[in-house]
Amino acid sequence: IACRFLRAREFRIEDSLILLKKAYDLLKEHDADNWSSQGAEACLGADEKLVKTFYPHQAQGYDRYGRLLCFEHNGNSNFPAIKSVTNRTNLIRYHLYTMEKCYDEYFTKTPKNPAGLSTISMCCICDFENISLSQVSAGLDHLNNLIALDNVCYPEQLGKLLVVNVPGFIAGVWN
């Protein structure tokens, strides 16, 4: 873990310690010690399967480099429906729960690379098939929150990001 924080700050020790302190403070702010053992539904305040119907995502298997595979079907996301069953704070807690609890289980089972070490990173596949401009607008705040959170709490965790079925209006914004 320390190496990820060091790499994220180009091995500047003082900057790495500042980032680590920010991560600690964020986890404390979101009361991670108390809800992390309670399960996904306690974090969400809603049925996890219901939330996944509005925000289809899962972690399943590994790529050929031993990275955990995460799939998101962003084109089938319905952020107004998500907000009708849970709130922003609970979504952040759920994300933290997923990263801390569920991925811990995956990473302890991660296949070893040729050097005999586990790869502690992810390969995320985001599918934008069927996405509309209104979906992008509705989900942008949530996405920005997660990116900011991951940049602080989980630096150097994303090994590869694949974005597929991107409509022209997203490609223009992305560039």
Side-chain angles (χ1 to χ4, degrees):
I1 293 174
C3 196
R4 287 189 328 210
F5 284 87
L6 285 165
R7 271 197 318 256
R9 293 299 178 254
E10 298 176 351
F11 292 91
R12 292 185 307 267
I13 293 172
E14 190 170 322
D15 292 346
S16 300
L17 289 172
I18 291 169
L19 181 61
L20 186 60
K21 172 82 167 91
K22 283 183 184 178
Y24 174 82
D25 290 344
L26 266 171
L27 291 171
K28 194 122 180 108
E29 174 187 334
H30 290 287
D31 204 21
D33 289 339
N34 290 326
W35 52 255
S36 62
S37 62
Q38 297 175 8
E41 293 185 0
C43 296
L44 282 167
D47 178 37
E48 182 182 27
K49 288 180 182 176
L50 178 63
V51 172
K52 283 188 172 192
T53 62
F54 301 138
Y55 178 47
H57 64 283
Q58 67 179 3
Q60 183 174 347
Y62 302 92
D63 70 5
R64 67 180 181 171
Y65 299 106
R67 295 179 293 223
L68 177 65
L69 285 172
C70 302
F71 300 93
E72 290 188 9
H73 199 291
N74 305 84
N76 287 343
S77 295
N78 183 340
F79 287 98
I82 293 168
K83 290 177 182 177
S84 75
V85 296
T86 191
N87 60 42
R88 177 186 180 274
T89 300
N90 288 348
L91 284 172
I92 290 172
R93 286 182 176 161
Y94 174 69
H95 179 72
L96 291 169
Y97 166 81
T98 303
M99 294 295 287
E100 294 291 326
K101 192 80 170 159
C102 297
Y103 290 157
D104 277 353
E105 293 173 19
Y106 279 105
F107 290 142
T108 58
K109 299 174 187 173
T110 300
K112 305 287 187 220
N113 64 23
L117 303 171
S118 293
T119 302
I120 312 267
S121 68
M122 295 178 260
C123 174
C124 293
I125 302 167
C126 297
D127 186 351
F128 284 96
E129 183 177 30
N130 301 324
I131 199 161
S132 67
L133 191 54
S134 64
Q135 284 174 291
V136 172
S137 297
L140 198 55
D141 182 48
H142 175 65
L143 180 62
N144 286 334
N145 288 331
L146 294 185
I147 289 170
L149 187 69
D150 286 350
N151 282 337
V152 172
C153 294
Y154 309 103
E156 303 295 315
Q157 189 87 15
L158 183 62
K160 179 70 78 176
L161 174 63
L162 302 172
V163 182
V164 297
N165 298 319
V166 181
F169 69 88
I170 289 182
V173 171
W174 195 276
N175 293 329

